[in-house]
Amino acid sequence: MAEHGLDDARQHLDRPIAPADFSDRQPSLGRGLSALPLVQSMLAGERAVAETIPPNAQPLIRRIESIALFELHDAERVALAALPMQSADFSARQDIATEHDRPSRSFTVLSGIVATYKTTRAGGRQVMAYHVPGDVPDFQSLHLEVLDFSLAAVTPCRVGFVRHEAVRSLLEAQPRLVGAFWRATLINAALSREWMLNLGRRDAYARTAHLFCELFTRLQAVGLVHDHTCALPLTQLELSDALGLTSVHVNRVLKDLRGAGLVTLSGKNLTVHDWERLKAAAEFDPTYLHLRRKAG
């Protein structure tokens, strides 16, 4: 089934433990003492923290939770939620940042899909990576002052900008998050290696299937897959830029994948009909995504 996509990415999925039902019993802390008030207080505290997280901060927190080697503390969630974020909307194929820019802020994807790309002097465009909600595509600009790539909205999207000074203050105040963001940067490098293999050594059919496997798994990790379907409003032109194929060739491959009963890319949605066969066709091994858990 398609939901197995994320399960392939880690052997043991850390799932939130449902609070126990205390309606018929009162756990004891000792003679004459009940644990119920303490448990109720803890659960109320967790709900209070969740309620303080603004919608704009949720994608980033879900992303960090899906890859971090530790469970986020409430203080870390609150600190991430408190980042002074300025949201902005971009239309499809609109640049967010361009090569040779010197940004003073980084951004996280709040909704939609963003692409990292480079172009030739003749105008040829190659997509180097796709970024889904929660990703921070230009985090390296915190240390590399000049961008050597461009970033554009693939679909209508919303991003949240945070000034570099605020990011540095966050990491100084919450040192465990340094490791989480560093891990995210290393995972981006792992994606680049896999994309290089995909473009250089897989045929068009496997190449396209692999891209769908990757995006499906990454979207599932941040809670954006439902009933084997995810929003993936990519045009054939956009796919051709990512896969190094002509749009005519992309059209033919999509028909083949649909005819084989593996996927349907219809309108703005991707539906996976047979995850195991799609994964086999793509030679998809999700190890390079380094996912730890499904975000709550």
Side-chain angles (χ1 to χ4, degrees), residues 36-91:
L36 181 56
L38 174 60
V39 173
Q40 289 176 329
S41 175
M42 291 171 64
L43 293 176
E46 291 177 1
R47 285 194 295 270
V49 170
E51 290 169 359
T52 63
I53 297 176
N56 278 356
Q58 291 172 2
L60 176 60
I61 293 174
R62 286 198 297 265
R63 172 59 175 160
I64 295 299
E65 287 177 331
S66 74
I67 63 169
L69 296 176
F70 53 84
E71 294 284 349
L72 289 182
H73 293 156
D74 287 345
E76 291 164 335
R77 289 191 180 89
V78 170
L80 286 166
L83 281 170
M85 188 178 295
Q86 180 182 9
S87 62
D89 294 316
F90 291 84
S91 57

Side-chain angles (χ1 to χ4, degrees), residues 113-117 126-132 154 187-202 207 210-215 218 234 238-244 284 288-289:
I113 297 176
V114 170
T116 293
Y117 75 93
Q126 179 63 52
V127 171
M128 316 299 291
Y130 284 128
H131 306 281
V132 302
V154 177
I187 291 172
N188 285 342
L191 263 70
S192 294
R193 291 188 290 273
E194 192 66 29
W195 274 56
M196 188 178 298
L197 174 64
N198 202 39
L199 288 170
R201 290 298 176 185
R202 292 192 178 106
R207 194 182 307 177
H210 195 280
L211 177 62
F212 287 158
C213 284
E214 177 186 302
L215 291 174
R218 290 171 62 194
L234 299 179
E238 191 65 45
L239 287 171
S240 70
D241 285 346
L243 296 168
F284 180 68
Y288 72 101
L289 298 176

Side-chain angles (χ1 to χ4, degrees), residues 43-213:
L43 293 176
E46 291 177 1
R47 285 194 295 270
V49 170
E51 290 169 359
T52 63
I53 297 176
N56 278 356
Q58 291 172 2
L60 176 60
I61 293 174
R62 286 198 297 265
R63 172 59 175 160
I64 295 299
E65 287 177 331
S66 74
I67 63 169
L69 296 176
F70 53 84
E71 294 284 349
L72 289 182
H73 293 156
D74 287 345
E76 291 164 335
R77 289 191 180 89
V78 170
L80 286 166
L83 281 170
M85 188 178 295
Q86 180 182 9
S87 62
D89 294 316
F90 291 84
S91 57
R93 297 187 72 85
Q94 182 179 357
D95 280 337
I96 301 171
T98 56
E99 193 170 0
H100 304 304
D101 279 355
R102 294 175 175 268
S104 59
R105 56 186 185 172
S106 294
F107 72 87
T108 183
V109 183
L110 302 178
S111 65
I113 297 176
V114 170
T116 293
Y117 75 93
K118 292 180 73 73
T119 56
T120 65
R121 289 184 179 178
R125 183 174 182 266
Q126 179 63 52
V127 171
M128 316 299 291
Y130 284 128
H131 306 281
V132 302
D135 288 352
V136 184
D138 64 342
F139 186 72
Q140 58 266 54
S141 68
L142 191 67
H143 299 290
L144 300 177
E145 60 274 12
V146 181
L147 287 185
D148 56 86
F149 54 86
S150 298
L151 291 156
V154 177
T155 66
C157 69
R158 172 167 291 187
V159 306
F161 290 100
V162 180
R163 297 193 67 81
H164 287 162
E165 307 92 89
V167 177
R168 292 190 181 96
S169 296
L170 167 73
L171 299 180
E172 289 172 3
Q174 302 293 337
R176 291 206 313 167
L177 292 181
V178 175
F181 278 97
W182 177 230
R183 181 174 168 82
T185 301
L186 293 175
I187 291 172
N188 285 342
L191 263 70
S192 294
R193 291 188 290 273
E194 192 66 29
W195 274 56
M196 188 178 298
L197 174 64
N198 202 39
L199 288 170
R201 290 298 176 185
R202 292 192 178 106
D203 62 30
Y205 189 85
R207 194 182 307 177
T208 306
H210 195 280
L211 177 62
F212 287 158
C213 284

